[in-house]
Amino acid sequence: MNVNSSSALLAAPNGPLQIPDLPFASVGTIDHDIYLSLVIPTYKERDNIQNVVKILTQTLDEYIPGDYELIVVDDDSPDLTWEVAQSLASDYQQLRVMRRQGERGLSSAVIRGWQVARGRVLGVIDGDLQHPPEILTQLLSQIAQGADMAVASRHVDGGGVSSWSAIRRFLSRGAQLLGLILLPGVLGRVSDPMSGYFMVQRSSIVGATLNPVGYKILLEVIGRGNIQNIAEVGYVFCERKEGESKVTWKQYVEYIHHLIRLRLSTGGWKRLSQSVESFPMGRFLRFGLVGLSGVFVDMGILYLLSDPSTLALPLTRSKIIAGEIAIFNNFLWNDAWTLDISENSQSLCLARL
C-alpha cells in the first residue's frame, strides 16, 4: 500500500497525552490505517535527519514496502531540523513532519506523534543513528509473532554499548537497580527498561492516559498500558557521529521522579498519592509554627514563675500554669490563623447541615 504524504506540517495535538483508536476508513483511501508508524523525536538533529530518513526508508521498504510511515516530531529546533525534514517529504512519500512550539520533551514528543499516527503498530527510534535501523526488522518480526511489545535491549544476547565510560555504565546499571526496587512489576519485565527503541501494538495502549517525565517513555507505556507479552531483541548502542549528546544529570533526576510518580500511581500507593496531593500543606505548616510558638511560651512563662530572681513559685505549680497558658496561646493562634474559617465558610458549612 502506498501512503501519499503532503509536504504540509502536521498540526501538533494538544490536550491529554492519550492514544486514540484508529478511525474507521475505507480501504484504499489516504486515511486508511497502515501497519507501522515510527516516530522520530528530534531536537537539533539537522546534520543527522536526512541520513536517518534515508536509511529507515531503505530498511522498511525491503520488509513492509509502503505499509509504514515515518513521523518526525521536532521540538522547534533552533537549527531548523523540522525545516530540513519537511524538505525531504517530496522525495520520501512515507514521511510526515510535526513542528512543536508549545511543548518540549522527548517522551511527550513521541506521544504526540503517536496521536496523529495511522499505524496499527507504534514505534519510536532516536534521530541520531545511535539505534541501529537494521534492528527494526527483528522488532517487527516479534510483533508479527504475537508480541504486544518488542523492545531493543542492550542487556540480552547480541546487545551492548560501543564505548561508554565506566561512570556511564555504572549510572545506567544503578538507575536500573533503583527502578527494580521501586517498580519491580514494571522494570522486572524487561532487561533494559531505559531503552528508547521499541514497538508496541496500538491496541495495548489505546485509551491509556500517559504522563511521562523526561526521556524514559518505555516505563510509562509498560506501567500504564495493557501489555501482556513482551519480546526483546539485542542491539549495540552506537555513539553518535553528528550533533551533541543530550544525556545530562537532569535526565537521571527526571528518571527518579518518573519512578516515584509511577510507584505512587499504582495499587495502594495510588490512594497515598491522592492523599499527598490533597494534603493541606499550608495549614499543616501554620499548625507546626503555632505549636513551636507554644513551646517558647511555655518555657518563658515557666522561667518567669519559677526562677528565684522573679516570682520563685514551686516548680510543679509553675509548670501547670505555663502549660495552660501555652495551650491557650495555641488555641487563639490556631483559631485565628491556622484554621482561618471565614464567616462565608461558616455559613456554607451550616447550610450543609
Side-chain angles (χ1 to χ4, degrees), residues 64-346:
I64 47 173
D67 206 10
Y68 69 92
E69 63 182 350
L70 304 177
I71 303 176
V72 172
V73 182
D74 186 69
D75 279 357
D76 200 21
S77 298
D79 67 355
L80 304 182
T81 300
W82 59 271
E83 189 175 78
V84 176
Q86 186 185 16
S87 71
L88 302 173
S90 59
D91 296 325
Y92 297 95
Q93 297 300 304
Q94 277 71 40
L95 177 62
R96 307 168 74 197
V97 182
M98 180 189 298
R99 177 191 182 189
R100 295 202 310 166
Q101 296 179 280
E103 285 183 312
R104 292 289 186 273
L106 184 145
S107 292
S108 62
V110 174
I111 299 171
R112 293 307 187 192
W114 286 348
Q115 286 180 315
V116 302
R118 299 172 296 194
R120 301 187 297 279
V121 175
L122 305 175
V124 57
I125 187 172
D126 278 358
D128 52 16
L129 293 177
Q130 291 184 296
H131 293 156
E134 60 270 17
I135 299 300
L136 285 173
T137 58
Q138 298 180 50
L139 296 175
L140 285 167
S141 177
Q142 292 295 333
I143 293 291
Q145 293 175 42
D148 295 316
M149 171 181 280
V151 180
S153 171
R154 297 162 293 182
H155 306 314
V156 296
D157 289 343
V161 292
S162 56
S163 57
W164 277 13
S165 66
I167 293 178
R168 189 171 178 184
R169 292 172 188 266
F170 173 79
L171 289 174
S172 178
R173 282 301 193 178
Q176 184 178 357
L177 179 60
L178 178 62
L180 284 170
I181 294 173
L182 292 177
L183 278 172
V186 174
L187 278 82
R189 302 185 63 191
V190 289
S191 65
D192 191 358
M194 300 179 74
S195 175
Y197 190 9
F198 64 91
M199 295 179 186
V200 61
Q201 297 275 7
R202 187 190 201 107
S203 58
S204 296
I205 56 175
V206 163
T209 299
L210 306 176
N211 192 19
V213 178
Y215 279 38
K216 306 309 175 187
I217 187 176
L218 178 60
L219 301 177
E220 190 74 9
V221 174
I222 296 176
R224 301 190 191 277
N226 182 23
I227 312 294
Q228 302 298 324
N229 182 18
I230 300 178
E232 294 186 289
V233 174
Y235 85 103
V236 177
F237 186 87
C238 305
E239 292 302 312
R240 65 163 52 236
K241 297 179 181 179
E242 302 288 346
E244 300 176 354
S245 174
K246 300 175 182 67
V247 177
T248 66
W249 282 100
K250 181 181 178 181
Q251 272 69 66
Y252 289 102
V253 173
E254 289 176 337
Y255 169 75
I256 295 172
H257 179 198
H258 196 180
L259 287 177
I260 294 173
R261 190 159 72 179
L262 273 174
R263 173 70 269 186
L264 291 175
S265 68
T266 58
W269 287 81
K270 184 174 183 178
R271 293 188 293 273
L272 175 60
S273 175
Q274 293 170 342
S275 299
V276 170
E277 290 176 359
S278 62
F279 186 75
M281 183 57 69
R283 182 174 295 177
F284 175 76
L285 291 175
R286 291 195 296 272
F287 185 83
L289 289 173
V290 169
L292 183 63
S293 74
V295 173
F296 287 102
V297 169
D298 181 87
M299 293 176 61
I301 298 298
L302 178 62
Y303 173 79
L304 290 175
L305 295 177
S306 62
D307 192 82
S309 62
T310 55
L311 298 178
L313 295 178
L315 183 60
T316 301
R317 188 183 306 171
S318 299
K319 179 58 182 174
I320 292 173
I321 296 173
E324 290 298 323
I325 295 176
I327 292 172
F328 187 64
N329 166 83
N330 288 10
F331 171 79
L332 292 177
W333 277 108
N334 280 324
D335 185 60
W337 186 43
T338 304
L339 300 179
D340 191 22
I341 302 177
S342 65
E343 292 182 2
N344 290 336
S345 298
Q346 292 178 16

